[in-house]
Amino acid sequence: MTIGDLQKEFEKNYNKQASHVFFCPGRVNLIGEHIDYNGGQVMPCAISLGTTLLVTANDEGVFRFRALDFPESADIALNPEGYQKTGPEWFNYPLGVIQEFQKKDITLTGLDFLFSGNLPIGSGLSSSASIEVLTAFALNELFNGGLSRVDLAVLGKRVENDFMGLNSGIMDQFAVAMGKEAHAVLLNTDTLDYEYLPFEIGDYVLAIINSNKPRKLVESKYNERFNECRTVLKQLQEKIQAQHLCDIPLETFQQEEALVADPVLRKRALHVISENDRVKKAREALTTGDIAGFGQLMYASHDSLQQLYEVSGPELDAIVDFCRTYDGCIGARMTGAGFGGCAIALIKQDQFDDFAEKVTAAYEEKIGYKPGVFSSVIAEGVRKLV
Ligand code: GLA
């Protein structure tokens, strides 16, 4: 939809034009999975798909939430005391953001919102971080909040953790707030130091393959992994000095793994520590133009997420298994939290259409329904359109 079409939709809802239009992308994570809540380094990038927000202030002290892609809507009175999450509905994300702005004593007025997105929802492309950072960016502009992009990412994470109850890390919000065209963001999730790495992959393209598997259990399993990491860290801290699991060198962990009696917890720690190592190697591969090496690290990351961290599943595995057999592919892995959602792959540009056709056929035969396949451009982070 064009901005003009969206303005018409806004007028239908509110009988007036929106004063501002903002856009926030989604993200894929190239490598460094499930380590952003363990002080590790991650390598996400913002993509061209995302969420658009049209918004205008009202003087009735009401927040009106409407979206083109969701049937649910809400009118919630501005309340200086704060708000309660009403359930899993989408408008709780912007509501949580409003709460965080009020906590910072930034004075708000009522607002009429219209959201519209083209990110497949619940597909692991961070549609929720996109809404959070989008709303935060808009409020910051409209009410002169004076917050930096990094502040907006931190605020978005707080909404996810405190308002929505998911113990996620900072990666998604940081990627969509700070993304840079044609670059991956190498982020140290402990210090928030970051570096932009030119994503130069020669005659390959970044393909996104959506398993189209509805992601169930993702919240409960995610928090379960978070707690497992806390537990195993405590056990290792009996002998090893470390604030985060990712502070522990792989060799140290291998020498001391007897500190962890439970084999499942040992697997979790091994994933986290070795994945952090792979990110460092991936940086090296990318900066020296070793695309094949980068691809191998993607496959190794997938194996670890499948076997040690156990967050993949038959659908994502079917995609990556097919990729391994396809000669125009040099690397593939699940991306994001897992349990469904998307995989990414590096595919020879001139074979992309052939790949899309063949991966679709192979997946449908094994899983029973089609995946979504598209190639993606690495794009800028959140921004003002009008
Ligand atoms: C979700 C979370 C992120 C990160 C990934 C897994 O996307 O929101 O913080 O933990 O899962 O890497």
Short mmCIF file of all heavy atoms in Angstrom, two decimals, residues 70-119:
data_model
loop_
_atom_site.label_atom_id
_atom_site.label_comp_id
_atom_site.label_asym_id
_atom_site.label_seq_id
_atom_site.Cartn_x
_atom_site.Cartn_y
_atom_site.Cartn_z
N PHE A 70 -4.97 -6.52 11.81
CA PHE A 70 -5.55 -7.23 12.96
C PHE A 70 -6.97 -6.76 13.19
O PHE A 70 -7.25 -5.56 13.10
CB PHE A 70 -4.76 -6.93 14.24
CG PHE A 70 -3.37 -7.46 14.24
CD1 PHE A 70 -2.31 -6.61 14.02
CD2 PHE A 70 -3.11 -8.80 14.48
CE1 PHE A 70 -1.01 -7.08 14.03
CE2 PHE A 70 -1.82 -9.29 14.49
CZ PHE A 70 -0.76 -8.43 14.26
N PRO A 71 -7.87 -7.68 13.51
CA PRO A 71 -9.24 -7.25 13.77
C PRO A 71 -9.38 -6.52 15.11
O PRO A 71 -10.28 -5.68 15.27
CB PRO A 71 -10.02 -8.57 13.80
CG PRO A 71 -9.01 -9.64 14.09
CD PRO A 71 -7.70 -9.14 13.57
N GLU A 72 -8.50 -6.83 16.07
CA GLU A 72 -8.70 -6.22 17.39
C GLU A 72 -8.31 -4.75 17.36
O GLU A 72 -7.35 -4.36 16.72
CB GLU A 72 -7.83 -6.89 18.47
CG GLU A 72 -7.95 -8.38 18.57
CD GLU A 72 -6.93 -9.09 17.69
OE1 GLU A 72 -5.90 -8.50 17.35
OE2 GLU A 72 -7.20 -10.25 17.33
N SER A 73 -9.10 -3.95 18.11
CA SER A 73 -8.75 -2.54 18.27
C SER A 73 -9.02 -2.19 19.72
O SER A 73 -9.64 -2.96 20.45
CB SER A 73 -9.60 -1.69 17.34
OG SER A 73 -10.96 -1.82 17.71
N ALA A 74 -8.56 -1.02 20.15
CA ALA A 74 -8.80 -0.63 21.54
C ALA A 74 -8.79 0.88 21.67
O ALA A 74 -8.07 1.57 20.94
CB ALA A 74 -7.74 -1.24 22.45
N ASP A 75 -9.60 1.38 22.60
CA ASP A 75 -9.57 2.79 23.00
C ASP A 75 -9.25 2.77 24.48
O ASP A 75 -10.01 2.22 25.27
CB ASP A 75 -10.95 3.44 22.81
CG ASP A 75 -11.28 3.62 21.33
OD1 ASP A 75 -10.47 3.21 20.48
OD2 ASP A 75 -12.35 4.18 21.05
N ILE A 76 -8.12 3.36 24.83
CA ILE A 76 -7.68 3.28 26.23
C ILE A 76 -7.42 4.70 26.73
O ILE A 76 -6.69 5.46 26.10
CB ILE A 76 -6.44 2.37 26.36
CG1 ILE A 76 -6.85 0.94 25.99
CG2 ILE A 76 -5.85 2.43 27.77
CD1 ILE A 76 -5.76 -0.07 25.90
N ALA A 77 -8.04 5.05 27.84
CA ALA A 77 -7.90 6.42 28.37
C ALA A 77 -6.50 6.64 28.92
O ALA A 77 -5.94 5.75 29.57
CB ALA A 77 -8.93 6.64 29.47
N LEU A 78 -5.96 7.81 28.63
CA LEU A 78 -4.65 8.18 29.18
C LEU A 78 -4.75 8.13 30.70
O LEU A 78 -5.68 8.69 31.28
CB LEU A 78 -4.31 9.59 28.70
CG LEU A 78 -2.88 10.08 28.84
CD1 LEU A 78 -2.62 11.20 27.83
CD2 LEU A 78 -2.53 10.56 30.23
N ASN A 79 -3.83 7.43 31.30
CA ASN A 79 -3.87 7.26 32.75
C ASN A 79 -2.48 7.46 33.34
O ASN A 79 -1.60 6.62 33.13
CB ASN A 79 -4.40 5.85 33.07
CG ASN A 79 -4.50 5.61 34.56
OD1 ASN A 79 -4.15 6.48 35.37
ND2 ASN A 79 -4.99 4.44 34.93
N PRO A 80 -2.26 8.54 34.06
CA PRO A 80 -0.93 8.81 34.61
C PRO A 80 -0.45 7.69 35.54
O PRO A 80 0.76 7.54 35.76
CB PRO A 80 -1.11 10.11 35.39
CG PRO A 80 -2.41 10.67 34.95
CD PRO A 80 -3.24 9.56 34.43
N GLU A 81 -1.37 6.90 36.07
CA GLU A 81 -0.99 5.80 36.98
C GLU A 81 -0.38 4.61 36.23
O GLU A 81 0.20 3.73 36.84
CB GLU A 81 -2.23 5.27 37.72
CG GLU A 81 -3.02 6.31 38.51
CD GLU A 81 -2.17 6.93 39.60
OE1 GLU A 81 -1.54 6.14 40.34
OE2 GLU A 81 -2.11 8.17 39.68
N GLY A 82 -0.60 4.54 34.92
CA GLY A 82 -0.06 3.43 34.14
C GLY A 82 -1.15 2.49 33.65
O GLY A 82 -2.35 2.78 33.82
N TYR A 83 -0.72 1.36 33.08
CA TYR A 83 -1.65 0.47 32.39
C TYR A 83 -1.35 -0.98 32.74
O TYR A 83 -0.25 -1.31 33.16
CB TYR A 83 -1.51 0.66 30.86
CG TYR A 83 -1.59 2.12 30.48
CD1 TYR A 83 -0.43 2.90 30.42
CD2 TYR A 83 -2.82 2.74 30.24
CE1 TYR A 83 -0.50 4.24 30.12
CE2 TYR A 83 -2.90 4.08 29.94
CZ TYR A 83 -1.73 4.84 29.89
OH TYR A 83 -1.79 6.17 29.61
N GLN A 84 -2.33 -1.82 32.53
CA GLN A 84 -2.17 -3.26 32.68
C GLN A 84 -2.24 -3.89 31.30
O GLN A 84 -3.09 -3.49 30.50
CB GLN A 84 -3.33 -3.84 33.52
CG GLN A 84 -3.33 -3.44 34.98
CD GLN A 84 -2.18 -4.09 35.73
OE1 GLN A 84 -1.83 -5.22 35.44
NE2 GLN A 84 -1.59 -3.36 36.68
N LYS A 85 -1.41 -4.89 31.07
CA LYS A 85 -1.52 -5.67 29.84
C LYS A 85 -2.89 -6.34 29.81
O LYS A 85 -3.33 -6.89 30.81
CB LYS A 85 -0.41 -6.72 29.85
CG LYS A 85 -0.40 -7.68 28.72
CD LYS A 85 0.71 -8.71 28.95
CE LYS A 85 0.53 -9.91 28.07
NZ LYS A 85 1.37 -11.04 28.45
N THR A 86 -3.60 -6.26 28.67
CA THR A 86 -4.93 -6.86 28.62
C THR A 86 -4.90 -8.31 28.15
O THR A 86 -5.88 -9.03 28.24
CB THR A 86 -5.84 -6.08 27.64
OG1 THR A 86 -5.26 -6.18 26.33
CG2 THR A 86 -5.97 -4.63 28.03
N GLY A 87 -3.78 -8.72 27.55
CA GLY A 87 -3.69 -10.08 26.99
C GLY A 87 -2.63 -10.05 25.92
O GLY A 87 -1.79 -9.16 25.91
N PRO A 88 -2.68 -11.02 25.00
CA PRO A 88 -1.61 -11.07 23.99
C PRO A 88 -1.86 -10.14 22.79
O PRO A 88 -1.05 -10.08 21.88
CB PRO A 88 -1.66 -12.53 23.53
CG PRO A 88 -3.09 -12.94 23.73
CD PRO A 88 -3.62 -12.14 24.88
N GLU A 89 -2.99 -9.41 22.78
CA GLU A 89 -3.33 -8.63 21.58
C GLU A 89 -2.22 -7.65 21.23
O GLU A 89 -1.54 -7.12 22.10
CB GLU A 89 -4.63 -7.83 21.78
CG GLU A 89 -5.85 -8.65 22.10
CD GLU A 89 -6.00 -8.89 23.59
OE1 GLU A 89 -5.17 -8.36 24.36
OE2 GLU A 89 -6.94 -9.59 23.96
N TRP A 90 -2.12 -7.34 19.94
CA TRP A 90 -1.02 -6.52 19.41
C TRP A 90 -0.92 -5.16 20.07
O TRP A 90 0.17 -4.63 20.23
CB TRP A 90 -1.21 -6.38 17.88
CG TRP A 90 -2.41 -5.55 17.52
CD1 TRP A 90 -3.68 -6.00 17.32
CD2 TRP A 90 -2.45 -4.13 17.35
NE1 TRP A 90 -4.51 -4.96 17.04
CE2 TRP A 90 -3.78 -3.80 17.05
CE3 TRP A 90 -1.50 -3.11 17.42
CZ2 TRP A 90 -4.20 -2.48 16.83
CZ3 TRP A 90 -1.91 -1.80 17.21
CH2 TRP A 90 -3.23 -1.50 16.91
N PHE A 91 -2.08 -4.56 20.44
CA PHE A 91 -2.01 -3.17 20.93
C PHE A 91 -1.36 -3.06 22.31
O PHE A 91 -1.08 -1.96 22.78
CB PHE A 91 -3.40 -2.49 20.90
CG PHE A 91 -4.46 -3.29 21.59
CD1 PHE A 91 -4.56 -3.32 22.97
CD2 PHE A 91 -5.38 -4.01 20.84
CE1 PHE A 91 -5.53 -4.06 23.60
CE2 PHE A 91 -6.37 -4.75 21.46
CZ PHE A 91 -6.44 -4.78 22.84
N ASN A 92 -1.13 -4.21 22.93
CA ASN A 92 -0.40 -4.15 24.21
C ASN A 92 1.04 -3.68 24.03
O ASN A 92 1.63 -3.14 24.95
CB ASN A 92 -0.46 -5.50 24.92
CG ASN A 92 -1.83 -5.74 25.51
OD1 ASN A 92 -2.16 -5.17 26.54
ND2 ASN A 92 -2.65 -6.53 24.83
N TYR A 93 1.61 -3.92 22.85
CA TYR A 93 3.00 -3.47 22.61
C TYR A 93 3.08 -1.94 22.64
O TYR A 93 3.86 -1.38 23.43
CB TYR A 93 3.56 -4.06 21.32
CG TYR A 93 3.75 -5.56 21.38
CD1 TYR A 93 2.81 -6.43 20.87
CD2 TYR A 93 4.88 -6.10 21.97
CE1 TYR A 93 2.98 -7.82 20.94
CE2 TYR A 93 5.07 -7.48 22.05
CZ TYR A 93 4.11 -8.33 21.53
OH TYR A 93 4.28 -9.69 21.60
N PRO A 94 2.29 -1.23 21.80
CA PRO A 94 2.35 0.23 21.91
C PRO A 94 1.91 0.74 23.29
O PRO A 94 2.44 1.75 23.77
CB PRO A 94 1.41 0.73 20.80
CG PRO A 94 0.69 -0.46 20.28
CD PRO A 94 1.48 -1.67 20.64
N LEU A 95 0.98 0.03 23.92
CA LEU A 95 0.55 0.46 25.25
C LEU A 95 1.70 0.38 26.25
O LEU A 95 1.91 1.29 27.07
CB LEU A 95 -0.63 -0.42 25.71
CG LEU A 95 -1.35 0.02 26.97
CD1 LEU A 95 -1.98 1.40 26.80
CD2 LEU A 95 -2.45 -1.00 27.34
N GLY A 96 2.47 -0.69 26.16
CA GLY A 96 3.65 -0.83 27.02
C GLY A 96 4.67 0.27 26.76
O GLY A 96 5.33 0.75 27.68
N VAL A 97 4.79 0.67 25.50
CA VAL A 97 5.72 1.75 25.16
C VAL A 97 5.24 3.07 25.78
O VAL A 97 6.03 3.83 26.37
CB VAL A 97 5.85 1.89 23.62
CG1 VAL A 97 6.66 3.12 23.24
CG2 VAL A 97 6.49 0.63 23.02
N ILE A 98 3.95 3.31 25.70
CA ILE A 98 3.38 4.53 26.30
C ILE A 98 3.68 4.55 27.80
O ILE A 98 4.09 5.57 28.37
CB ILE A 98 1.85 4.57 26.03
CG1 ILE A 98 1.61 4.88 24.55
CG2 ILE A 98 1.14 5.56 26.93
CD1 ILE A 98 0.19 4.74 24.09
N GLN A 99 3.50 3.41 28.43
CA GLN A 99 3.80 3.30 29.86
C GLN A 99 5.25 3.69 30.16
O GLN A 99 5.53 4.40 31.12
CB GLN A 99 3.53 1.84 30.27
CG GLN A 99 4.08 1.43 31.60
CD GLN A 99 2.96 0.93 32.48
OE1 GLN A 99 1.93 1.59 32.61
NE2 GLN A 99 3.13 -0.24 33.04
N GLU A 100 6.18 3.20 29.34
CA GLU A 100 7.60 3.51 29.56
C GLU A 100 7.87 5.01 29.38
O GLU A 100 8.68 5.59 30.11
CB GLU A 100 8.50 2.70 28.61
CG GLU A 100 8.61 1.23 28.95
CD GLU A 100 9.21 0.96 30.34
OE1 GLU A 100 10.10 1.71 30.77
OE2 GLU A 100 8.75 -0.01 30.97
N PHE A 101 7.20 5.64 28.43
CA PHE A 101 7.39 7.09 28.25
C PHE A 101 6.86 7.84 29.47
O PHE A 101 7.46 8.80 29.94
CB PHE A 101 6.71 7.59 26.96
CG PHE A 101 7.64 7.53 25.78
CD1 PHE A 101 7.95 6.32 25.19
CD2 PHE A 101 8.22 8.69 25.26
CE1 PHE A 101 8.83 6.24 24.11
CE2 PHE A 101 9.11 8.63 24.20
CZ PHE A 101 9.41 7.41 23.61
N GLN A 102 5.72 7.40 29.97
CA GLN A 102 5.17 8.07 31.16
C GLN A 102 6.10 7.91 32.35
O GLN A 102 6.26 8.83 33.14
CB GLN A 102 3.76 7.53 31.45
CG GLN A 102 2.76 7.98 30.40
CD GLN A 102 1.31 7.57 30.69
OE1 GLN A 102 0.45 7.80 29.87
NE2 GLN A 102 1.03 6.97 31.85
N LYS A 103 6.71 6.73 32.46
CA LYS A 103 7.66 6.50 33.57
C LYS A 103 8.83 7.46 33.49
O LYS A 103 9.45 7.79 34.50
CB LYS A 103 8.19 5.07 33.51
CG LYS A 103 7.31 4.04 34.15
CD LYS A 103 8.15 2.78 34.38
CE LYS A 103 7.30 1.54 34.38
NZ LYS A 103 8.06 0.35 34.00
N LYS A 104 9.16 7.88 32.26
CA LYS A 104 10.26 8.83 32.09
C LYS A 104 9.79 10.27 32.25
O LYS A 104 10.50 11.21 31.89
CB LYS A 104 10.89 8.66 30.71
CG LYS A 104 11.69 7.39 30.54
CD LYS A 104 12.39 7.39 29.18
CE LYS A 104 13.15 6.10 28.93
NZ LYS A 104 14.31 5.91 29.81
N ASP A 105 8.54 10.45 32.69
CA ASP A 105 7.96 11.78 32.87
C ASP A 105 7.92 12.59 31.58
O ASP A 105 8.06 13.81 31.60
CB ASP A 105 8.72 12.58 33.95
CG ASP A 105 8.39 12.04 35.33
OD1 ASP A 105 7.26 11.54 35.52
OD2 ASP A 105 9.27 12.09 36.21
N ILE A 106 7.75 11.91 30.48
CA ILE A 106 7.55 12.61 29.21
C ILE A 106 6.03 12.78 29.06
O ILE A 106 5.29 11.80 29.07
CB ILE A 106 8.16 11.82 28.03
CG1 ILE A 106 9.68 11.70 28.24
CG2 ILE A 106 7.82 12.48 26.70
CD1 ILE A 106 10.40 10.79 27.27
N THR A 107 5.57 14.03 28.98
CA THR A 107 4.12 14.29 28.96
C THR A 107 3.55 13.96 27.59
O THR A 107 4.03 14.45 26.57
CB THR A 107 3.86 15.78 29.28
OG1 THR A 107 4.60 16.08 30.45
CG2 THR A 107 2.39 16.04 29.51
N LEU A 108 2.52 13.13 27.57
CA LEU A 108 1.87 12.73 26.33
C LEU A 108 0.47 13.31 26.26
O LEU A 108 -0.10 13.68 27.30
CB LEU A 108 1.77 11.20 26.26
CG LEU A 108 3.05 10.38 26.45
CD1 LEU A 108 2.74 8.88 26.37
CD2 LEU A 108 4.11 10.74 25.41
N THR A 109 -0.09 13.38 25.04
CA THR A 109 -1.51 13.67 24.89
C THR A 109 -2.16 12.40 24.33
O THR A 109 -1.46 11.43 24.03
CB THR A 109 -1.73 14.80 23.86
OG1 THR A 109 -1.25 14.33 22.58
CG2 THR A 109 -0.96 16.05 24.24
N GLY A 110 -3.47 12.44 24.13
CA GLY A 110 -4.11 11.32 23.45
C GLY A 110 -3.59 11.19 22.03
O GLY A 110 -3.07 12.17 21.46
N LEU A 111 -3.71 10.00 21.45
CA LEU A 111 -3.17 9.78 20.10
C LEU A 111 -4.08 8.83 19.33
O LEU A 111 -4.63 7.88 19.91
CB LEU A 111 -1.77 9.16 20.17
CG LEU A 111 -0.64 10.04 20.72
CD1 LEU A 111 0.55 9.18 21.12
CD2 LEU A 111 -0.23 11.10 19.71
N ASP A 112 -4.22 9.10 18.05
CA ASP A 112 -4.94 8.18 17.16
C ASP A 112 -3.89 7.46 16.32
O ASP A 112 -3.14 8.09 15.57
CB ASP A 112 -5.89 8.95 16.25
CG ASP A 112 -6.98 9.65 17.06
OD1 ASP A 112 -7.36 9.12 18.13
OD2 ASP A 112 -7.43 10.73 16.63
N PHE A 113 -3.86 6.14 16.46
CA PHE A 113 -2.84 5.33 15.78
C PHE A 113 -3.48 4.46 14.70
O PHE A 113 -4.55 3.89 14.91
CB PHE A 113 -2.22 4.32 16.75
CG PHE A 113 -1.38 4.87 17.86
CD1 PHE A 113 -1.90 5.00 19.15
CD2 PHE A 113 -0.06 5.21 17.64
CE1 PHE A 113 -1.11 5.46 20.20
CE2 PHE A 113 0.75 5.67 18.68
CZ PHE A 113 0.22 5.80 19.96
N LEU A 114 -2.78 4.31 13.59
CA LEU A 114 -3.14 3.27 12.63
C LEU A 114 -1.85 2.56 12.21
O LEU A 114 -0.94 3.18 11.66
CB LEU A 114 -3.84 3.84 11.39
CG LEU A 114 -4.21 2.78 10.36
CD1 LEU A 114 -5.33 1.87 10.85
CD2 LEU A 114 -4.61 3.42 9.03
N PHE A 115 -1.79 1.27 12.49
CA PHE A 115 -0.62 0.47 12.14
C PHE A 115 -0.94 -0.40 10.91
O PHE A 115 -2.07 -0.86 10.75
CB PHE A 115 -0.26 -0.49 13.29
CG PHE A 115 0.30 0.20 14.50
CD1 PHE A 115 -0.54 0.69 15.50
CD2 PHE A 115 1.67 0.37 14.66
CE1 PHE A 115 -0.02 1.32 16.63
CE2 PHE A 115 2.20 1.00 15.78
CZ PHE A 115 1.35 1.47 16.77
N SER A 116 0.10 -0.62 10.11
CA SER A 116 -0.07 -1.53 8.98
C SER A 116 1.29 -2.16 8.69
O SER A 116 2.30 -1.46 8.67
CB SER A 116 -0.53 -0.73 7.76
OG SER A 116 -0.41 -1.53 6.62
N GLY A 117 1.32 -3.46 8.51
CA GLY A 117 2.63 -4.09 8.32
C GLY A 117 2.64 -5.11 7.20
O GLY A 117 1.58 -5.59 6.79
N ASN A 118 3.82 -5.42 6.71
CA ASN A 118 3.93 -6.52 5.74
C ASN A 118 4.91 -7.59 6.21
O ASN A 118 5.39 -8.40 5.43
CB ASN A 118 4.30 -6.01 4.34
CG ASN A 118 5.58 -5.18 4.34
OD1 ASN A 118 6.27 -5.11 5.35
ND2 ASN A 118 5.89 -4.56 3.22
N LEU A 119 5.20 -7.60 7.52
CA LEU A 119 6.01 -8.69 8.08
C LEU A 119 5.07 -9.84 8.41
O LEU A 119 4.07 -9.62 9.09
CB LEU A 119 6.63 -8.25 9.41
CG LEU A 119 7.84 -7.36 9.36
CD1 LEU A 119 8.11 -6.80 10.76
CD2 LEU A 119 9.06 -8.14 8.88
#
